[in-house]
Amino acid sequence: MNNYRLKVFNKASFCRHFENQVYRVAQDKHIRFPFYLSAGQEYIPASIYTLLEEKNIDSNVFIQHRGHSHYLCKGADPTQLIDELLGRKTGCSKGMGGSASIHSIEKNIFGHDGLMGSQVPIAVGHAYKTRKPTIAVMGDASAEEDYVLGALGWASTKNLPVLFIVEDNNLSILTEKKVRRNWEMDDVARAFKIKAHNIDDNPLSLWEVLHEYNFNHPMLLNINTTRKYWHAGAGQDGDYDTRYEKELKLLGGEALKIDTNNKLLVEKLWQQQLEIQ
């Protein structure tokens, strides 16, 4: 289990340093459009794709904004993501998608069209056609869109191989869930007869609910997490103890080495791409 946690930490560490670097580069005006950072939430994709790799399950993934860590944890090319953020034609979306609409044909990652939550019914339709393992990622605000609920109903009715991931940071920009609604997505999923869990972003919690899951039915995970950066990268939420800091402290020396190496690797990758004219 410790080996699993180190594998997860390696992915999460690369994502954390990548996102921190995006924020720094943006302050120097190299990125000139809104960007949506997944720092603080990186343990969700890091845990999921580590588990799927160990089970040798490849999945089609439908993401939206704050999707950098899903892209990176599934093994897509980080230099293409850098170029996308710099607005280059060599970017993963030809420089036309920016931060919110990234994809990778090689890794079966499908980018977002900009309509909040639309990736969920699209993912369900794709799973209905292909019957392939599918992951639909949404935030707690996207989950409130009416067509998301319809998609859940269809996935249940047709017993589709879809894993619904709700990255629940309790915020729609700055508005907390308690202002917006009095229900939880795992309860909604159960109403549609979908197996569902409400958990935190602890890699052990994710292992517990996913290690036997083989996409033979739909399932929804409402995963409570914490963001580091505001919506559209406008600022930081301040000092708090995220899953990342907890795992770094728990895993000790080996994790510290991984963390240092990833920091240097990310800085090198960014510097190389920034030097390209």
Side-chain angles (χ1 to χ4, degrees):
M1 185 58 68
N2 192 53
N3 185 48
Y4 158 72
R5 293 186 86 153
L6 281 172
K7 287 181 180 178
V8 173
F9 181 81
N10 186 36
K11 287 182 180 292
S13 171
F14 187 89
C15 294
R16 172 57 66 94
H17 289 297
F18 188 94
E19 299 293 65
N20 286 344
Q21 190 69 15
V22 173
Y23 189 80
R24 285 192 290 268
V25 168
Q27 307 315 302
D28 294 331
K29 309 300 182 184
H30 292 293
I31 300 175
R32 299 180 179 277
F33 46 76
F35 52 95
Y36 304 87
L37 302 180
S38 53
Q41 302 178 189
E42 60 275 290
Y43 251 86
I44 296 172
S47 300
I48 290 170
Y49 299 115
T50 297
L51 273 163
L52 294 185
E53 286 169 7
E54 291 184 350
K55 293 158 67 74
N56 198 30
I57 295 176
D58 191 23
S59 56
N60 297 312
V61 183
F62 293 78
I63 57 177
Q64 59 169 43
H65 68 284
R66 296 191 189 276
H68 296 176
S69 287
H70 282 272
Y71 176 97
L72 295 170
C73 286
K74 201 168 188 292
D77 188 346
T79 60
Q80 289 186 18
L81 178 53
I82 292 172
D83 284 354
E84 186 63 34
L85 295 173
L86 296 175
R88 295 174 176 165
K89 292 182 179 180
T90 49
C92 60
S93 298
K94 309 299 183 184
M96 300 175 67
S99 173
S101 302
I102 56 176
H103 70 270
S104 169
I105 296 174
E106 295 77 14
K107 294 297 180 178
N108 296 322
I109 300 171
F110 297 85
H112 189 230
D113 61 14
L115 183 63
M116 286 294 293
S118 67
Q119 73 280 4
V120 180
I122 293 172
V124 168
H126 192 273
Y128 179 65
K129 173 66 176 179
T130 65
R131 301 288 164 167
K132 293 181 179 179
T134 302
I135 298 176
V137 184
M138 69 195 96
D140 54 90
S142 300
E144 297 165 11
E145 299 294 345
D146 56 353
Y147 38 76
V148 170
L149 304 182
L152 289 175
W154 186 250
S156 177
T157 299
K158 297 300 180 181
N159 196 37
L160 299 179
V162 184
L163 176 62
F164 299 96
I165 301 295
V166 182
E167 297 184 331
D168 187 348
N169 64 22
N170 191 42
L171 293 167
S172 175
I173 304 181
L174 294 174
T175 305
E176 294 185 6
K177 276 196 305 183
K178 64 183 180 182
V179 178
R180 301 171 356 234
R181 54 178 159 100
N182 64 350
W183 45 269
E184 296 293 342
M185 276 302 295
D186 58 307
D187 292 328
V188 172
R190 291 189 196 99
F192 282 115
K193 300 182 179 180
I194 293 176
K195 188 173 183 179
H197 302 270
N198 193 321
I199 59 176
D200 64 17
D201 57 4
N202 187 322
L204 295 183
S205 300
L206 284 152
W207 184 88
E208 183 69 24
V209 299
L210 286 177
H211 76 282
E212 293 184 353
Y213 181 63
N214 292 310
F215 290 89
N216 51 359
H217 57 79
M219 184 162 71
L220 182 142
L221 302 182
N222 191 88
I223 307 174
N224 299 286
T225 187
T226 308
R227 71 183 188 189
K228 179 177 180 180
Y229 295 105
W230 293 352
H231 191 74
Q236 300 188 47
D237 277 327
D239 295 328
Y240 53 84
D241 189 19
T242 67
R243 174 62 51 194
Y244 188 80
E245 283 77 22
K246 290 177 182 177
E247 291 295 311
L248 181 58
K249 182 178 180 180
L250 176 69
L251 295 171
E254 289 184 81
L256 186 58
K257 290 179 183 177
I258 292 171
D259 192 58
T260 300
N261 290 337
N262 278 328
K263 184 175 185 294
L264 294 173
L265 175 57
V266 167
E267 289 175 350
K268 182 179 179 181
L269 285 173
W270 270 96
Q271 188 59 39
Q272 287 175 342
Q273 296 309 108
L274 286 170
E275 290 175 354
I276 296 173
Q277 300 298 320

